[in-house]
């Protein structure tokens, strides 16, 4: 018998490999970074702080994580790289010590109508296998329980080469799927109002079609005139039944017009494919308005919204169908799975149990697997993406998180901190971009960027320990221990907004009076029903303007000037001052540089390799023709105006020859929300999450309304910016408006005139009003989780009293 003796390596004899304990960045210049050089310790939790727009995301995501992913992609074959996104090398001199980066960002999950929480994770796949093994009656393979697989069958002759001869045999096939045939697995059916599609008094050539984008000047005009299915010059009300059916419902049919092969398709199937196959929230505003006007969505009567056919719903395990399982709150589903004792599928049950437990651990136990993924908030999407990494056996991986506390109640932030520490303790490097003090407190290493935002940022102003940050004198260090005090007096409401019997999602027939003319804040743990109450019972009322967390849409040609609409009056002012057409002052129209088509750069596609963008030599990146730049307004050409900061432009358009009241008003709102440092022509994709949120807020403030609803306006805001936001909210209320804020930030709670707290828990444990009153009363009562955390935040002693006057009802 042989024995093996292991000799411990003396600690003095360290291997060279053990010395690679830093990620080194030298000369980073991505976006607004100014030759940044920094060393980040591996296998530690590093938090990146700084005001919104200071360069945190440019350093962490645009440089470190981007280069890690690019280098990993290069290890694949050229053939495989052809199917992957091409990533350009970041603008940096040296990047050393990188490890594999896993990015968990705030990007919303796909809003495909067929995507649910279950399909976006492995949960649905595991459940389908479970039911295919244990379900009674037995249906077949896992696809029999999938709402994305239709049941089909067919038969016919097939040709087979056998023994040197071709023989024909009759074959048949059958696929058993779980898709409901009525709604095609969407869970809802649509009813389209035909009067919203066309004006029956007109002919098609007279502009009868009122669908966005259906112009007779382009290909639609050629197709409708050349298809031969109807007379495009005849009023639609005079169409025969056959002609009207062809106009509305005809399946895709090949036609030939002027020697070109085209496809004709009826209006309704074309609308369903182009507009209704995605979530309504993802559509452009004018198309969304058309869909909301023309289309009514109702629960499918055949499957009752489960998306599954009768067969899939009839097969059960312990009297529970897969539709019942997916509709359960995940925390309840985890209990049900725990009760299944089937040795034959023990590994499957263990995997499913672990996955469901991960949902609960990360604070998403209130969701259900049939929840559409497009309805998840940015914070919920980010935490859903985290789930697959919680039980990973990988070590020495760099995990990159973008404000993981977004959408989290202070109670839930503690749980998130625990998960991040667990990832670090397994030997991973954890990089977190964050503003919340609760998360900065757990950092092993802090890197603070600034000192300001935009062109005033992009430098490392501090790196070191938490104690060092406190005494550093940087903006973050000075505000780290800021605590907003409860207001000594609160406003008296001018009226109430009644909500009666609210029962959307988990709300339990809520009755509540929301005071008007004051700053009212809705609080509660994630999943308690705050958004359900607002979306289901308040948003959509006359005079109510809602600013949600939905991402703003725009290409690299879009910028703050185009997004806010201020470019239109600026172009008209340039045109009037110079006696020319406004179109000349658009880089997307007649004034565009012909060499780069108004992009300012020349993009060269290199196939599977990263494309190259080179500044246009003709316009030198200004995007306009040289002749257009000869026209001036107030001594500046259009490219110089777009290069101005919001603050400079606000002064420029406020007086003198260049005075434009419409543009000045928009710029004033941008200054109010703290975006004075942005340039008017900065591409939207380069803005940070916090900047996009505030840009949307400034734009929506222009809408005429008496009640403003803001959904977590502190998302992406630095501690110093929260104070500016509170000032803005006060100005809106003092102007005679009502402001309702859904918020987790204790500074906003403390500043409120009235708090409505939902809970006590999430999912079916929430959905009730657990407190109504002033912040002072909530602090004294400490009757809810929110009350406990707010009391700790303002430093109130247990049972202590404040001198705040209560809000009159």
């Amino acid at each position: 018998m042989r024995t093996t003796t292991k000799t411990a390596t003396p600690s003095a004899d360290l291997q060279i490999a053990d010395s690679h304990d830093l990620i080194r960045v030298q000369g980073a210049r991505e976006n607004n970074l100014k030759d940044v050089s920094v060393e980040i310790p591996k296998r530690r939790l590093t938090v990146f702080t700084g005001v919104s727009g200071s360069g945190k995301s440019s350093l962490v995501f645009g440089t470190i994580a981007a280069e890690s992913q690019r280098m990993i992609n290069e290890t694949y074959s050229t053939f495989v790289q052809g199917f992957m996104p091409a990533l350009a090398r970041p603008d940096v001199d040296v990047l050393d010590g990188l490890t594999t980066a896993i990015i968990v960002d705030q990007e919303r999950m796909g809003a495909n109508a067929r995507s649910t929480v279950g399909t976006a994770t492995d949960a649905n796949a595991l459940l389908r296998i479970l039911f295919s093994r244990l379900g009674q009656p037995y249906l077949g393979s896992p696809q029999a329980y999938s709402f994305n697989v239709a049941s089909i069958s067919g038969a016919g002759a097939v040709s087979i080469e056998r023994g040197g001869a071709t023989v024909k045999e009759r074959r048949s096939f059958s696929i058993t799927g779980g898709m409901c045939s009525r709604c095609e697995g969407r869970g809802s059916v649509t009813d389209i109002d035909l009067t919203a599609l066309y004006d029956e008094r007109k002919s098609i050539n007279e502009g009868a079609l009122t669908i966005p984008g259906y112009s007779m000047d382009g290909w639609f005009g050629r197709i409708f005139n050349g298809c031969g299915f109807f007379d495009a010059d005849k009023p639609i009300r005079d169409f025969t039944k056959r002609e009207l059916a062809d106009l509305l419902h005809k399946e895709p049919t090949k036609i030939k017009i002027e020697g070109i092969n085209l496809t004709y398709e009826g209006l309704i199937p074309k609308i369903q494919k182009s507009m209704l196959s995605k979530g309504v929230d993802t559509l452009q505003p004018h198309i969304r308005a058309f869909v909301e006007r023309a289309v009514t969505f109702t629960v499918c009567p055949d499957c009752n919204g489960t998306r599954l056919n009768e067969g899939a719903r009839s097969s059960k395990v312990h009297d529970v169908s897969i539709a019942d399982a997916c509709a359960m709150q995940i925390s309840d589903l985890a209990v049900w799975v725990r009760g299944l004792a089937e040795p034959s599928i023990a590994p499957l049950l263990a995997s499913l149990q672990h996955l469901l437990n991960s949902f609960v651990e990360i604070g998403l136990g209130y969701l259900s697997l049939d929840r559409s993924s497009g309805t998840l908030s940015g914070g919920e999407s980010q935490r859903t993406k985290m789930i697959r990494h919680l039980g990973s056996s990988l070590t020495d991986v760099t995990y990159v998180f973008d404000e993981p506390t977004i959408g989290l109640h202070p109670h839930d932030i503690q749980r998130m901190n625990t998960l991040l520490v667990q990832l670090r303790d397994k030997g991973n490097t954890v990089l977190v971009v964050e503003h919340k003090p609760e998360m900065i407190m757990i950092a092993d290493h802090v890197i603070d960027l600034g000192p300001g935002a935009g062109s005033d940022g992009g430098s490392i102003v501090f790196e070191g320990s938490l104690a060092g940050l406190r005494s550093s004198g940087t903006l973050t260090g000075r505000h780290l221990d800021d605590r907003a005090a409860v207001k000594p007096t609160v406003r008296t409401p001018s009226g109430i907004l009644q909500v009666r019997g609210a029962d959307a999602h988990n709300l339990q027939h809520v009755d509540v009076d929301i005071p008007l003319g004051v700053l009212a804040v809705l609080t509660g743990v994630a999943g308690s029903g705050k958004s359900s109450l607002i979306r289901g019972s308040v948003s959509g009322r006359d005079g109510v303007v809602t600013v949600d967390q939905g991402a703003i849409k725009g290409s690299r040609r879009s910028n703050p000037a185009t997004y806010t609409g201020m470019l239109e009056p600026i172009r008209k002012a340039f045109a009037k001052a110079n006696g020319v057409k406004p179109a000349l002052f658009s880089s997307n129209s007649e004034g565009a540089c012909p060499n780069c088509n108004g992009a300012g750069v020349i993009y060269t596609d290199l196939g599977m390799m990263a494309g190259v963008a080179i500044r246009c030599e003709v316009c030198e990146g200004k995007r306009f023709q040289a002749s257009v730049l000869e026209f001036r307004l107030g001594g500046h050409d259009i490219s110089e105006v777009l290069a101005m900061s919001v603050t400079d432009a606000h002064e420029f358009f406020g007086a003198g020859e260049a005075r434009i009241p419409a543009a000045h008003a928009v710029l004033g709102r941008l200054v109010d929300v703290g975006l004075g440092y942005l340039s008017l022509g900065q591409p939207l994709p380069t803005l940070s999450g916090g900047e996009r949120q505030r840009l949307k807020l400034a734009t929506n403030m222009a809408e005429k309304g008496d009640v403003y609803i803001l959904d977590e306006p502190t998302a992406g805001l630095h501690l110093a910016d929260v104070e500016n936001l509170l000032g803005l909210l006060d100005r809106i209320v003092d102007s005679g408006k009502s402001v309702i804020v859904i918020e987790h930030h204790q500074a906003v709670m403390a500043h409120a005139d009235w708090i409505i707290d939902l809970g006590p828990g999430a999912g079916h444990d929430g959905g009730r009003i657990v407190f109504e009153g002033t912040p002072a009363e909530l602090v004294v009562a400490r009757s809810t989780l929110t009350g406990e955390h707010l009391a700790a935040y303002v430093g109130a002693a247990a049972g202590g009293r404040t001198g705040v006057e209560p809000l009159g009802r």
Side-chain angles (χ1 to χ4, degrees):
M1 178 177 178
R2 258 171 46 180
T3 59
T4 303
T5 304
K6 290 186 178 179
T7 305
T9 304
S11 57
D13 299 335
L14 290 176
Q15 297 288 329
I16 294 177
D18 296 329
S19 65
H20 298 285
D21 55 357
L22 293 172
I23 297 175
R24 296 181 179 84
V25 181
Q26 293 182 12
R29 293 175 295 276
E30 197 70 18
N31 295 329
N32 68 328
L33 296 179
K34 298 173 180 175
D35 276 318
V36 165
S37 296
V38 66
E39 293 184 344
I40 303 167
K42 288 185 182 178
R43 294 173 288 281
R44 296 293 183 271
L45 196 159
T46 301
V47 175
F48 294 78
T49 62
V51 297
S52 179
S54 60
K56 304 182 300 296
S57 296
S58 297
L59 176 59
V60 179
F61 291 93
T63 304
I64 298 172
E67 178 65 358
S68 173
Q69 288 200 321
R70 187 187 72 84
M71 296 182 75
I72 290 171
N73 288 356
E74 286 189 349
T75 64
Y76 296 107
S77 68
T78 304
F79 174 76
V80 173
Q81 289 183 52
F83 296 94
M84 303 174 73
L87 302 174
R89 187 183 188 281
D91 189 2
V92 59
D93 294 334
V94 177
L95 269 175
D96 184 42
L98 293 180
T99 68
T100 301
I102 295 176
I103 299 175
V104 188
D105 57 21
Q106 296 177 37
E107 290 298 318
R108 295 286 186 103
M109 300 179 76
N112 190 299
R114 297 184 179 280
S115 178
T116 65
V117 171
T119 60
T121 60
D122 291 331
N124 259 40
L126 296 175
L127 269 181
R128 291 197 297 269
I129 298 173
L130 186 154
F131 274 86
S132 70
R133 300 295 186 271
L134 303 182
Q136 294 295 329
Y138 175 76
L139 294 184
S141 69
Q143 65 186 10
Y145 300 90
S146 172
F147 55 76
N148 285 325
V149 178
S151 295
I152 57 175
S153 59
V158 296
S159 298
I160 301 175
E161 294 287 340
R162 183 180 296 161
T166 301
V167 296
K168 288 189 176 182
E169 292 184 1
R170 182 173 179 78
R171 295 285 178 89
S172 62
F173 72 94
S174 177
I175 297 176
T176 302
M179 178 189 289
C180 169
S181 58
R182 174 77 176 271
C183 65
E184 296 183 342
R186 290 189 175 93
S188 63
V189 290
T190 56
D191 183 19
I192 299 179
D193 180 5
L194 298 183
T195 61
L197 304 187
Y198 57 80
D199 182 350
E200 65 174 8
R201 296 168 300 177
K202 297 180 180 179
S203 69
I204 291 176
N205 283 333
E206 289 173 338
L209 300 183
T210 55
I211 307 168
Y214 280 61
S215 168
M216 292 303 104
D217 297 331
W219 282 106
F220 280 117
R222 295 191 188 184
I223 291 173
F224 285 128
N225 279 287
C227 66
F229 300 127
F230 42 74
D231 184 355
D233 290 317
K234 184 167 65 173
I236 293 180
R237 65 184 174 191
D238 296 334
F239 276 22
T240 64
K241 287 184 178 180
R242 177 64 180 272
E243 289 174 331
L244 189 60
D246 286 344
L247 173 66
L248 296 176
H249 304 289
K250 196 170 186 65
E251 292 298 315
T253 305
K254 297 292 184 183
I255 59 176
K256 197 164 191 173
I257 299 175
E258 300 174 8
I260 301 173
N261 292 320
L262 299 169
T263 300
Y264 173 85
E265 188 172 15
L267 296 179
I268 289 178
K270 196 166 188 67
I271 288 173
Q272 288 174 333
K273 290 177 183 177
S274 63
M275 300 181 186
L276 305 184
S277 61
K278 302 176 182 178
V280 176
D281 292 337
T282 65
L283 300 174
Q284 293 177 316
H286 68 291
I287 297 178
R288 185 193 313 163
F290 164 75
V291 170
E292 291 173 346
R293 182 176 70 250
V295 183
T296 302
F297 296 89
T298 56
V299 174
C300 175
D302 286 9
C303 67
N304 199 27
T306 64
R307 305 167 180 253
L308 295 161
N309 57 31
E310 177 62 29
R313 300 198 308 273
S314 67
S315 180
K316 298 186 178 182
V317 176
H318 294 186
D319 295 324
V320 174
S321 70
I322 191 170
D324 299 330
C326 290
M328 285 183 188
Q329 187 167 301
I330 289 177
S331 58
D332 294 338
L333 180 59
V335 174
W336 179 76
V337 172
R338 202 175 300 131
L340 298 177
E342 296 290 340
S344 62
I345 58 168
L348 172 68
L349 290 176
S351 296
L352 181 57
Q353 185 69 58
H354 173 76
L355 179 62
L356 299 176
N357 288 342
S358 296
F359 271 101
V360 177
E361 287 175 12
I362 209 165
L364 295 178
Y366 61 87
L367 295 178
S368 61
L369 296 182
D370 62 0
R371 170 89 172 261
S372 294
S373 60
T375 65
L376 298 181
S377 68
E380 288 171 334
S381 297
Q382 185 174 29
R383 283 178 281 156
T384 300
K385 296 172 191 174
M386 280 184 68
I387 286 170
R388 70 184 61 188
H389 306 303
L390 294 183
S392 173
S393 300
L394 294 173
T395 60
D396 263 333
V397 170
T398 299
Y399 287 95
V400 187
F401 296 94
D402 187 7
E403 293 187 54
T405 61
I406 281 186
L408 287 185
H409 189 271
H411 173 71
D412 298 315
I413 292 177
Q414 297 173 355
R415 185 183 300 175
M416 177 64 71
N417 285 349
T418 301
L419 294 172
L420 295 180
V421 169
Q422 287 175 355
L423 282 175
R424 177 204 65 189
D425 291 346
K426 288 170 61 176
N428 297 304
T429 304
V430 181
L431 308 181
V432 183
V433 174
E434 189 52 79
H435 294 292
K436 291 285 180 66
E438 298 95 326
M439 185 153 285
I440 299 175
M441 299 296 181
I442 68 169
D444 301 311
H445 191 69
V446 179
I447 297 175
D448 194 20
L449 284 92
S455 59
D456 295 327
S459 301
I460 303 293
V461 293
F462 172 81
E463 54 178 315
S465 66
L466 179 64
L469 177 65
R470 277 199 170 96
S471 60
S472 65
T474 67
L475 194 61
T476 304
R478 294 198 305 271
H479 288 272
L480 188 60
D481 295 314
D482 280 1
R483 294 295 182 269
V486 175
K487 292 194 298 188
T489 59
V490 292
R491 300 178 180 90
T492 301
S494 59
I496 59 171
L497 192 156
Q498 286 189 346
V499 176
R500 296 291 180 265
D503 58 0
H505 299 304
N506 67 326
L507 295 178
Q508 301 181 24
H509 299 283
V510 168
D511 294 336
V512 64
D513 293 335
I514 303 175
L516 298 176
V518 300
L519 174 58
V521 176
L522 267 69
T523 62
V525 297
S528 60
K530 305 181 297 297
S531 297
S532 298
L533 177 63
I534 293 300
R535 291 174 186 164
S537 303
V538 181
S539 293
R541 295 192 184 190
D542 290 339
V544 175
V545 177
T546 303
V547 185
D548 58 22
Q549 295 183 43
I552 63 177
K553 299 175 179 64
S555 67
R556 59 192 177 201
R557 287 180 174 271
S558 301
N559 51 53
T562 59
Y563 181 81
T564 58
M566 81 172 91
L567 187 59
E568 188 66 22
I570 291 174
R571 289 168 50 208
K572 289 181 178 178
F574 263 96
K576 184 177 180 181
N578 294 280
V580 293
K581 295 188 296 183
L584 285 175
F585 303 99
S586 170
S587 61
N588 296 323
S589 186
E590 294 182 26
C593 166
N595 189 51
C596 63
N597 294 321
V601 292
I602 304 294
Y603 293 96
T604 305
D605 184 11
L606 299 179
M608 81 293 295
M609 300 177 69
V612 177
I614 302 174
R615 192 174 74 161
C616 176
E617 296 179 354
V618 175
C619 67
E620 297 181 340
K622 295 181 179 179
R623 309 199 300 175
F624 292 90
Q625 299 176 27
S627 58
V628 173
L629 300 181
E630 294 177 4
F631 300 119
R632 294 181 173 266
L633 176 67
H636 292 279
D637 63 44
I638 185 66
S639 70
E640 291 170 341
V641 167
L642 291 176
M644 287 182 180
S645 69
V646 167
T647 302
D648 292 341
H650 183 246
E651 181 180 349
F652 177 68
F653 290 118
E657 178 191 348
R659 182 175 180 272
I660 306 176
H664 187 257
V666 175
L667 291 162
R669 291 194 294 272
L670 291 174
V671 172
D672 283 342
V673 298
L675 293 178
Y677 59 89
L678 288 184
S679 65
L680 302 191
Q682 183 173 340
L684 288 188
T686 65
L687 301 186
S688 68
E691 288 169 336
R692 296 181 194 184
Q693 173 89 346
R694 284 182 283 163
L695 180 61
K696 188 173 182 180
L697 172 60
T699 304
N700 281 271
M701 281 169 57
E703 295 187 30
K704 293 182 179 179
D706 300 317
V707 179
Y708 286 87
I709 296 174
L710 309 180
D711 190 358
E712 295 189 51
T714 61
L717 284 189
H718 186 266
L719 298 166
D721 294 324
V722 172
E723 185 177 342
N724 297 330
L725 174 69
L726 295 178
L728 172 62
L729 298 181
D730 278 340
R731 289 195 295 275
I732 296 175
V733 175
D734 293 340
S735 70
K737 309 291 185 182
S738 303
V739 177
I740 303 171
V741 180
I742 300 172
E743 190 54 80
H744 294 294
H745 202 295
Q746 295 100 317
V748 180
M749 297 180 198
H751 198 73
D753 297 308
W754 192 254
I755 286 182
I756 299 172
D757 196 18
L758 282 88
H764 58 53
D765 295 326
R768 297 188 294 273
I769 303 294
V770 294
F771 176 84
E772 293 180 78
T774 66
E777 293 168 346
L778 180 59
V779 167
V780 171
R782 298 190 185 207
S783 56
T784 67
L785 281 172
T786 303
E788 292 176 8
H789 284 277
L790 183 59
Y793 175 82
V794 299
R801 294 280 174 183
T802 64
V804 183
E805 300 173 8
L807 182 72
R809 296 303 302 270

